[in-house]
Amino acid sequence: MKQDALPGRIAAEMASLIAAGDMPAESHLTAQSIADRFSVSRSPVRAAFKMLEGQGLVRQNRNRGYFVKPLTARTKSAAMKSASSNRDGPRAYYALAEDWVRDQIGDEVTETLLLDRYRISRSELTAILTRAVAEGWIERKPGYGWRLLPVAKTAEAQAQLYRVRLLLEPAAFLEPTFRIDRPALDGLRNDLERICDGAYLDWPEDRLHAIGVTFHEELVRMGGNPFLHQAIQRVNRMRRLLEYRSMIDRHRILAETREHLEILAPVAAGDLVEASFLMRRHVARALERKSGPATGTP
Amino acid sequence: MKQDALPGRIAAEMASLIAAGDMPAESHLTAQSIADRFSVSRSPVRAAFKMLEGQGLVRQNRNRGYFVKPLTARTKSAAMKSASSNRDGPRAYYALAEDWVRDQIGDEVTETLLLDRYRISRSELTAILTRAVAEGWIERKPGYGWRLLPVAKTAEAQAQLYRVRLLLEPAAFLEPTFRIDRPALDGLRNDLERICDGAYLDWPEDRLHAIGVTFHEELVRMGGNPFLHQAIQRVNRMRRLLEYRSMIDRHRILAETREHLEILAPVAAGDLVEASFLMRRHVARALERKSGPATGTP
DNA sequence: AATTGTTCTTTACTTATAAAAAAAGCAAAA
DNA sequence: TTTTGCTTTTTTTATAAGTAAAGAACAATT
């Protein structure tokens, strides 16, 4: 079996966009534009179209391509389901991550052990290890074997992750290279406002989560320091690893989204010091909440 | 050929230690202690011993093991040469990095291209890509191919790396989990004092560099926040990639080592706020010097 | 008792071939 | 001219057998 199913991932993401109304009914989905968006060729995109057609989300017009069908209650729920069922990573990756977080596996493992335990092919294992290395919770031992690194399993560790964010995120605004990216800013505001306008009740969980993460990462990206941006991306991926199972509290999402909009205002006005201050307060609040119960998307 | 030659790396590192006088003449090198130090088994260590014997650095006593031979001018220079020739990574890794930094290669590559260009095996390529991904300057494209990221090439990159250090390193002292690690502290001070006492002229470059890096990483490690520690490790690896070609200015090393010792004093005394302040000043100075010429190990 | 030297076992790398997937190319339709 | 639908080419993955390397076990030596 192919390691990850590119068409499936593309289809899932498009389903999410359609369900969220980003791709209105009757609009023409040109294969090349979708391909460009995902930076792939048209081949996997066509495969994705066929999957979406099977779900009743798009319609093919012979020699004219694919068009978005109007959403019905049926197709809408199908779209949301497909969007969330298709996580962006191989099943075994999450299985390993979960085993590690739950202490179901030792901290030094051999490749054969993993191969055997998760019933995967060598190249799938390679992909998983590469990813885990990139996300910083696995490293190769000098000889044979891999070492699983400490990860935010405990409440204390979660807090430590937030302390790193507290250091990095407010600092991004103060980088000398900070440049406001209007289109990105407008895109963010648009999403956030729609969430506040009720979408926080409708949209699939992973989309809400993704928008929250994107908000933080985009702002850090505007800081113009790629290493800062990279550091935050890693922290967020690590966070995702731990939080992906937890239910989202949709009312907390609303509260946090309002804070996000509050931060956006001074950024748009060019008051970066104020933005930095608000961001610090925002992350600090999230850190405080970590002493409490469930998990949101600050 | 084996991907990286573990015995060679171990031999090189031991050669460096012997040349630096860390392993005095006639001392007995027990295989297990060396194996533990590198967290490998005795097998590659024995192979390393044989290589060192060939270089005249150690002597085997039948059934008693290996012993350090007194350094002669000849063996000393051989040791330094071997230590520096054997970088801690596959040749092709640095070849690729250099090609990228020097714009000798496009920003999107296929595996076959790399396989062919650097004449390496598939698994060696996998190792190289995994490492580059971990260090954050390569990423997998969604379909086929890999994308080389511009992080490592821009002129500002060095300064931006230092700005991240400026954020993270002083903060480590202020973590609520900071715990002084006396043995580590003593080890650091010992190395630093020997450098100041003249070793800055003698010791091989990579050892001087490594001690500087270790100083910073160990202090951050004592902060007790593994994510902070990890972030700094990444920054340092990237720094190494950018700096690995540049000559070391041994007098700058001396100056910086003195600053390192200055920072150690308040740490040992438990005055972490002062240590944090001194660290900030130290890194800030190094950042300022980046406007100037050559490169040291701040 | 600790450590070496050696043997045996496990683990991972190499290489090659087949198959699957994605990318690239191109003629036909809109 | 753009975009589709289809074909061809390239790239990567899957699988498996053979080899090299590292790890583990154990008797011999100090």
Side-chain angles (χ1 to χ4, degrees):
Chain A
M1 195 216 296
K2 215 294 191 175
Q3 77 158 24
D4 208 358
L6 191 46
R9 266 157 48 197
I10 294 171
E13 193 134 343
M14 289 181 64
S16 171
L17 290 168
I18 292 172
D22 267 10
M23 289 171 165
E26 302 310 330
S27 56
H28 183 194
L29 302 172
T30 67
Q32 192 58 56
S33 66
I34 306 290
D36 290 346
R37 175 180 232 147
F38 292 94
S39 72
V40 295
S41 73
R42 278 163 52 214
S43 303
V45 173
R46 303 203 105 242
F49 281 155
K50 293 213 172 85
M51 296 173 83
L52 291 171
E53 188 175 34
Q55 292 168 17
L57 285 166
V58 302
R59 178 186 57 242
Q60 180 174 30
N61 277 16
R62 175 73 196 180
N63 283 330
R64 296 202 50 243
Y66 290 85
F67 296 80
V68 180
K69 281 170 79 171
L71 279 173
T72 66
R74 260 182 55 75
T75 55
K76 187 166 179 179
S77 84
M80 289 201 181
K81 196 172 155 218
S82 122
S84 58
S85 74
N86 208 313
R87 304 212 148 273
D88 77 327
R91 176 198 54 77
Y93 175 78
Y94 286 100
L96 173 58
E98 182 143 350
D99 280 350
W100 177 226
V101 171
R102 294 181 185 273
D103 280 318
Q104 302 292 307
I105 195 172
D107 67 342
E108 303 209 338
V109 295
T110 60
E111 292 180 15
T112 21
L113 173 85
L114 298 173
L115 238 33
D116 180 69
R117 181 175 179 123
Y118 300 105
R119 304 299 180 134
I120 52 181
S121 72
R122 256 235 120 66
S123 29
E124 198 168 358
L125 177 63
T126 303
I128 288 168
L129 289 173
T130 303
R131 177 160 174 180
V133 167
E135 302 197 350
W137 55 278
I138 271 193
E139 68 180 14
R140 188 181 252 290
K141 292 210 302 172
Y144 287 158
W146 298 79
R147 184 177 293 121
L148 304 186
L149 302 172
V151 105
K153 306 180 185 189
T154 63
E156 194 199 354
Q158 289 250 351
Q160 288 174 320
L161 214 45
Y162 274 77
R163 291 183 64 83
V164 175
R165 292 182 64 195
L166 203 51
L167 242 36
L168 299 179
E169 296 203 28
F173 295 106
L174 309 177
E175 283 290 296
T177 46
F178 193 98
R179 291 290 172 277
I180 297 170
D181 177 346
R182 291 283 169 199
L185 221 51
D186 293 343
L188 286 176
R189 183 166 30 230
N190 186 36
D191 278 344
L192 297 176
E193 281 170 352
R194 289 176 63 189
I195 291 175
C196 286
D197 288 352
Y200 71 97
L201 292 169
D202 289 353
W203 284 0
E205 289 190 358
D206 61 341
R207 186 167 158 81
L208 291 172
H209 191 277
I211 288 172
V213 170
T214 305
F215 169 82
H216 286 276
E217 287 187 3
E218 281 292 279
L219 287 177
V220 174
R221 188 183 56 75
M222 291 182 206
N225 185 329
F227 305 104
L228 203 51
H229 183 224
Q230 214 166 273
I232 274 300
Q233 281 183 317
R234 282 182 205 287
V235 167
N236 280 336
R237 283 198 212 122
M238 179 77 77
R239 203 151 62 91
R240 164 125 199 236
L241 197 62
L242 297 152
E243 292 175 354
Y244 84 99
R245 272 170 285 104
S246 64
M247 285 298 289
I248 280 188
D249 175 346
R250 287 174 184 267
H251 286 88
R252 172 170 294 173
I253 290 284
L254 176 60
E256 279 162 356
T257 302
R258 287 197 173 126
E259 285 189 32
H260 288 170
L261 279 169
E262 260 184 71
I263 295 171
L264 235 38
V267 177
D271 186 351
L272 299 174
V273 174
E274 174 73 2
S276 177
F277 168 77
L278 289 177
M279 180 61 88
R280 166 169 281 274
R281 199 179 61 181
H282 172 62
V283 178
R285 279 178 184 164
L287 172 56
E288 276 166 35
R289 278 196 291 261
K290 284 290 144 186
S291 323
T295 302
T297 314
Chain B
M1 196 218 293
K2 215 296 194 175
Q3 79 159 22
D4 206 0
L6 191 46
R9 266 156 51 197
I10 294 172
E13 191 133 344
M14 288 181 64
S16 170
L17 291 169
I18 292 172
D22 263 13
M23 291 173 165
E26 303 309 331
S27 57
H28 183 195
L29 302 172
T30 68
Q32 192 57 55
S33 66
I34 306 290
D36 290 345
R37 175 179 233 147
F38 292 93
S39 74
V40 294
S41 73
R42 279 163 52 213
S43 303
V45 173
R46 305 203 102 242
F49 280 155
K50 292 212 173 85
M51 298 172 82
L52 292 171
E53 188 174 34
Q55 292 168 18
L57 286 166
V58 303
R59 177 187 59 241
Q60 180 176 31
N61 278 15
R62 175 74 196 181
N63 283 329
R64 297 201 51 240
Y66 289 85
F67 296 80
V68 181
K69 283 169 79 171
L71 280 172
T72 67
R74 259 181 56 73
T75 55
K76 187 167 180 176
S77 83
M80 291 200 178
K81 196 173 154 216
S82 122
S84 58
S85 73
N86 208 312
R87 303 210 149 275
D88 77 328
R91 175 197 54 77
Y93 175 78
Y94 286 99
L96 173 59
E98 182 142 350
D99 280 349
W100 176 228
V101 172
R102 295 181 186 273
D103 276 316
Q104 301 293 308
I105 195 172
D107 67 344
E108 303 209 338
V109 296
T110 61
E111 293 181 13
T112 15
L113 174 86
L114 298 172
L115 237 33
D116 181 69
R117 181 174 179 125
Y118 299 106
R119 303 299 178 137
I120 51 181
S121 72
R122 251 229 125 70
S123 32
E124 198 167 358
L125 176 63
T126 302
I128 289 168
L129 290 173
T130 303
R131 178 164 173 176
V133 166
E135 302 195 349
W137 57 277
I138 274 191
E139 66 181 14
R140 186 182 252 290
K141 292 210 302 172
Y144 288 159
W146 298 77
R147 184 177 293 121
L148 306 188
L149 305 174
V151 274
K153 332 171 60 168
T154 68
E156 307 167 275
Q158 289 238 355
Q160 288 173 322
L161 271 176
Y162 276 76
R163 293 184 62 83
V164 175
R165 292 181 64 196
L166 204 49
L167 242 37
L168 299 178
E169 296 202 26
F173 295 107
L174 308 177
E175 284 290 297
T177 45
F178 193 99
R179 292 289 173 277
I180 297 169
D181 177 346
R182 291 285 167 196
L185 221 53
D186 293 343
L188 286 176
R189 182 166 31 229
N190 185 38
D191 277 346
L192 297 176
E193 281 171 352
R194 289 176 63 190
I195 292 175
C196 287
D197 289 353
Y200 72 97
L201 292 169
D202 289 354
W203 284 0
E205 289 190 358
D206 61 341
R207 185 168 159 80
L208 291 172
H209 192 277
I211 287 172
V213 170
T214 305
F215 169 81
H216 286 275
E217 287 187 3
E218 281 292 278
L219 287 177
V220 173
R221 189 183 56 75
M222 291 182 207
N225 186 329
F227 307 105
L228 201 53
H229 184 225
Q230 214 168 278
I232 274 299
Q233 283 183 316
R234 283 181 201 289
V235 166
N236 280 337
R237 279 194 218 127
M238 180 65 79
R239 198 151 66 93
R240 167 124 198 235
L241 196 63
L242 294 170
E243 293 174 354
Y244 86 100
R245 270 172 282 103
S246 63
M247 284 298 289
I248 280 188
D249 174 346
R250 288 174 183 266
H251 286 88
R252 172 170 294 172
I253 290 284
L254 176 60
E256 280 162 356
T257 302
R258 287 197 174 127
E259 285 188 33
H260 288 170
L261 280 168
E262 260 183 72
I263 295 170
L264 235 38
V267 177
D271 186 351
L272 299 175
V273 174
E274 173 73 3
S276 178
F277 167 77
L278 290 177
M279 179 62 86
R280 167 170 281 273
R281 199 180 62 181
H282 172 62
V283 178
R285 278 178 184 165
L287 171 57
E288 276 166 35
R289 279 195 290 260
K290 286 292 143 183
S291 324
T295 301
T297 313

